[in-house]
Amino acid sequence: MTFEKKFAEFKKELEKRDTKDLPTDLAMQVTMTDEDCGGTFYVANIGGNFAVEPYDYKDNTVNIAASAATLKDLLAGKLDGPDAMFRGLVTANGDLGHALAVLGLKKKAAKKAAKKPAAKKPAAKKTAAKKPAAKKTATKAAAEKKTATKTAAKKPAAKKTATKAAAEKKTATKKAAAPKAATKKTAEKKTAAKKPAAKKTAAKK
C-alpha cells in the first residue's frame, strides 16, 4: 500500500477521536518505517485546532517512528503505548506525554441527544392511532345525517297520502249528492205530470 493510502486511513481514524482533552500546544511528527509506505505526517492540536496533515513538522514537541501495522494496533487499542515503547516497537523523542496522549485517544462517545428522537417515536404512533377514531366519529355523524335526510324525505309522501284521501272523500261526497239530486228532479217531474189530470177533472164538472 502506498503512503498516501495509508496516511488517508490514519487521518480518517484520528479525526473520529475525542480530542477535547489533548494538550493545546501538541505537535507530534510521525514517521512510518515501512518500505512500501514509508513517509512522514504530523498530528497537531495548536490552540485547540486539531489537524492531521501529510507533512514534516520541524517545530514539533515530540516525534515518533513505528511501522504502519504498529500504529494501526495502537489506535485500535490492541497495543498499549508505554508497552510498545518498552518493547522497541515505537521509538520516541521529546515530550512522551504528548505521544501517549495521541496514541491513547479514544473514539468519540455517541451523543445522548441522538437517542431522544427514538424515545419520541411511540408518542407519534399514539397520536396517529387516534386519527381513525376521529374518522369513525365523522362517519357516524354522516350516517346520522343521511338517516335524518331520509326521514325528512318521507314526510312529503305522508302529506301526499292525506291529499289523496281528501280528494277521494270529495269524490265520494259528489257521488252521494248525485243520487239525491236525481231523486229530487224525478219527484218534481212526477208532481208536474199530475197537475194536468187535476185540470181535466175540473173541466168535466
Side-chain angles (χ1 to χ4, degrees):
M1 187 178 283
T2 64
F3 168 75
E4 288 77 12
K5 286 182 180 177
K6 205 68 188 172
F7 165 74
E9 282 182 14
F10 286 133
K11 179 180 171 74
K12 189 177 179 180
E13 188 60 36
L14 284 164
E15 285 177 343
K16 291 178 183 176
R17 307 288 164 146
D18 189 355
T19 60
K20 66 182 180 182
D21 294 327
L22 280 180
T24 55
D25 61 340
L26 182 150
M28 183 174 80
Q29 183 172 287
V30 182
T31 301
M32 287 190 286
T33 58
D34 305 78
E35 286 184 12
D36 59 337
C37 62
T40 302
F41 66 93
Y42 74 83
V43 181
N45 189 51
I46 306 301
N49 295 313
F50 186 74
V52 182
E53 297 300 337
Y55 310 115
D56 290 344
Y57 201 107
K58 301 297 182 186
D59 192 18
N60 57 68
T61 57
V62 64
N63 64 76
I64 67 168
S67 68
T70 299
L71 289 170
K72 187 177 180 179
D73 286 345
L74 284 165
L75 290 173
K78 292 179 181 179
L79 267 179
D80 179 60
D83 182 53
M85 287 179 185
F86 178 75
R87 289 163 58 190
L89 297 173
V90 178
T91 58
N93 292 299
D95 191 331
L96 296 182
H98 282 193
L100 293 173
V102 173
L103 297 174
L105 280 175
K106 304 295 180 186
K107 286 189 178 181
K108 290 176 184 176
K111 289 181 181 179
K112 289 180 181 179
K115 292 180 182 179
K116 285 182 181 179
K120 286 180 182 179
K121 279 182 183 178
K125 281 182 182 178
K126 200 174 181 183
T127 309
K130 285 180 182 178
K131 284 181 181 178
K135 195 174 180 181
K136 197 175 180 182
T137 309
T139 309
K140 194 178 178 183
E144 286 172 1
K145 193 176 179 182
K146 197 173 181 181
T147 308
T149 309
K150 273 187 179 180
T151 310
K154 285 178 183 178
K155 285 180 182 178
K159 196 174 180 183
K160 195 174 180 182
T161 308
T163 310
K164 193 176 178 183
E168 285 172 0
K169 192 176 180 183
K170 197 173 180 183
T171 308
T173 308
K174 271 188 178 182
K175 280 180 182 179
K180 282 182 182 179
T183 308
K184 194 177 179 182
K185 202 170 182 182
T186 307
E188 284 174 0
K189 199 173 182 181
K190 277 183 180 181
T191 308
K194 282 178 182 180
K195 279 180 183 180
K199 198 174 182 182
K200 199 175 181 182
T201 308
K204 279 182 181 181
K205 282 180 182 180

